[in-house]
């Protein structure tokens, strides 16, 4: 991963096959929709047109959706959902859109989660898709908690974690979580903001304009929030528990150093297909036998 900011959610959400529109749209009108999207710079104009047509309830609704997409709004905000790990999750306007590359973070969490019903916390949860997807992937489900500082994200996440019986709190990182979770968390998902402040202006308009800045801005080097998570995580993790963050390639040394400073053993996992990098910190079960901060090998 060679950039330090999330890629634009420019690909068309997949997921279950879309249904035909509940109204008849002449071929000429369908072509006009494609042409309008293509003129607005939509690379996948044909696919996006098909999705918007299927999602609209009537021609007027379609016109409004096409107008919003042509105006630069993320496709996920226009249709109201994003596909993540084969499931659809509600994404309200202004809420951070879960990226496909973040599936690596959830994939690693599935591998690391203990059997039974692990305690899972999803920090900076945004739409809540990560925690909900992890709970859905585990045979025994999860005791799921999530938190975000953005009220709009909290409202959205509460709808997405219903099936997992999850609880969503509003507040800054660990602050709103119940104190009884200290020392009990088996898996801590922390897809925190990691865009360096000066690079916010380089983001695609879909993210820069239409997603909350608080979900993007990671401070001068992009690692401010990650350092705070690394400092607090050992107090919340169960022995042998894991904290997982997403980072850019160039941020990995700083993220590993932050975990190591607070006694977490680290591993770096990369995936060329998803163009993703995840740093995993593990709280030793027997600290006197482990060397805090020793980094494990990177895995493909």
């Amino acid at each position: 991963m060679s950039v330090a900011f999330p890629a634009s959610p420019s690909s068309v959400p997949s997921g279950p096959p879309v249904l035909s529109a509940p109204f008849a749209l002449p071929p000429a009108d369908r072509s006009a929709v494609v042409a309008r999207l293509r003129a607005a710079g939509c690379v996948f104009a044909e696919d996006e047109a098909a999705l918007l047509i299927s999602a609209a309830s009537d021609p007027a609704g379609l016109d409004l959706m096409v107008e919003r997409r042509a105006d630069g709004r993320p496709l996920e905000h226009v249709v109201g959902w994003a596909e993540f790990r084969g499931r659809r999750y509600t994404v309200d306007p202004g809420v951070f859109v879960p990226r496909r590359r973040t599936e690596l973070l959830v994939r690693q969490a599935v591998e690391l989660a203990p059997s039974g019903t692990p305690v899972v916390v999803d920090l900076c949860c945004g739409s809540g898709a990560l925690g909900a997807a992890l709970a859905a992937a585990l045979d025994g489900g999860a005791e799921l908690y999530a938190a975000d500082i953005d009220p709009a994200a909290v409202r959205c996440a509460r709808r997405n974690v219903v099936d997992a019986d999850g609880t969503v709190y509003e507040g800054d990182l660990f602050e709103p979580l119940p104190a009884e979770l200290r020392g009990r968390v088996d898996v801590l998902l922390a897809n925190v903001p990691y865009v360096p402040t000066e690079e916010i202006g380089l983001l695609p308009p879909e993210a820069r304009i239409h997603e909350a800045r608080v979900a993007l801005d990671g401070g001068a080097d992009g690692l401010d929030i990650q350092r705070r998570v690394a400092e607090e995580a050992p107090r919340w993790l169960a022995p042998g528990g894991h904290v997982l963050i997403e980072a850019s390639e160039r941020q990995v040394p700083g993220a590993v150093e932050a975990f190591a400073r607070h006694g977490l053993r680290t591993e770096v996992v990369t995936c060329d297909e998803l163009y993703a990098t995840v740093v995993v910190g593990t709280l030793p079960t027997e600290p006197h036998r482990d060397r805090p901060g020793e980094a494990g090998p990177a895995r493909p």
Side-chain angles (χ1 to χ4, degrees):
M1 194 171 182
S2 60
V3 294
F5 51 82
S8 168
S10 57
S11 59
V12 179
S14 53
V18 294
L19 301 176
S20 299
F23 58 91
L25 190 69
D29 290 347
R30 181 180 293 264
S31 297
V33 170
V34 173
R36 187 174 180 189
L37 294 173
R38 185 176 291 117
C42 298
V43 177
F44 304 100
E46 291 84 358
D47 293 334
E48 292 195 13
L51 192 150
L52 293 174
I53 291 167
S54 69
S57 58
D58 54 49
L62 175 61
D63 285 345
L64 181 59
M65 294 173 77
V66 172
E67 178 182 349
R68 288 173 173 170
R69 179 59 180 146
D71 190 45
R73 300 193 190 191
L75 181 63
E76 295 85 353
H77 287 171
V78 175
V79 299
W81 58 269
E83 187 272 336
F84 188 77
R85 283 183 59 89
R87 291 172 176 260
R88 289 184 179 183
Y89 296 97
T90 298
V91 181
D92 294 334
V95 175
F96 184 81
V97 176
R99 273 60 164 176
R100 182 169 179 264
R101 68 167 172 273
T102 308
E103 293 184 3
L104 177 64
L105 190 149
V106 177
R107 183 194 306 169
Q108 292 308 122
V110 172
E111 293 185 6
L112 294 170
S115 58
T117 306
V119 176
V120 172
V121 170
D122 183 2
L123 281 188
C124 300
C125 66
S127 67
L130 275 63
L134 176 56
L138 299 174
D139 291 339
E143 185 180 332
L144 176 61
Y145 303 88
D148 201 289
I149 198 170
D150 181 8
V154 170
R155 290 192 296 270
C156 184
R158 283 174 175 157
R159 301 203 301 279
N160 283 323
V161 304
V162 168
D163 289 343
D165 293 325
T167 305
V168 186
Y169 299 90
E170 181 181 332
D172 185 26
L173 296 181
F174 298 92
E175 181 271 330
L177 296 176
E180 56 265 28
L181 287 180
R182 290 178 181 266
R184 292 186 55 228
V185 179
D186 297 302
V187 177
L188 173 60
L189 304 173
N191 190 31
V192 303
Y194 63 92
V195 184
T197 302
E198 291 187 354
E199 296 184 18
I200 295 288
L202 304 178
L203 291 173
E206 290 177 333
R208 186 180 71 248
I209 298 173
H210 297 286
E211 293 180 318
R213 187 182 179 101
V214 71
L216 302 169
D217 194 341
D221 64 356
L223 294 174
D224 283 1
I225 313 302
Q226 293 183 3
R227 293 189 185 97
R228 292 178 58 201
V229 170
E231 180 179 3
E232 289 290 327
R235 300 182 180 92
W236 295 84
L237 292 176
H242 310 280
V243 52
L244 299 91
I245 64 169
E246 187 174 88
S248 71
E249 265 185 1
R250 75 184 187 190
Q251 292 172 328
V252 166
V256 168
E257 192 276 334
F259 279 176
R261 188 186 312 136
H262 297 287
L264 298 170
R265 291 184 286 105
T266 59
E267 179 182 14
V268 180
V269 184
T270 62
C271 177
D272 292 338
E273 178 189 358
L274 295 176
Y275 202 50
T277 301
V278 169
V279 181
V280 182
T282 301
L283 185 68
T285 55
E286 298 179 75
H288 63 286
R289 292 185 181 179
D290 291 273
R291 290 187 293 173
E294 182 177 358
R299 294 191 292 175

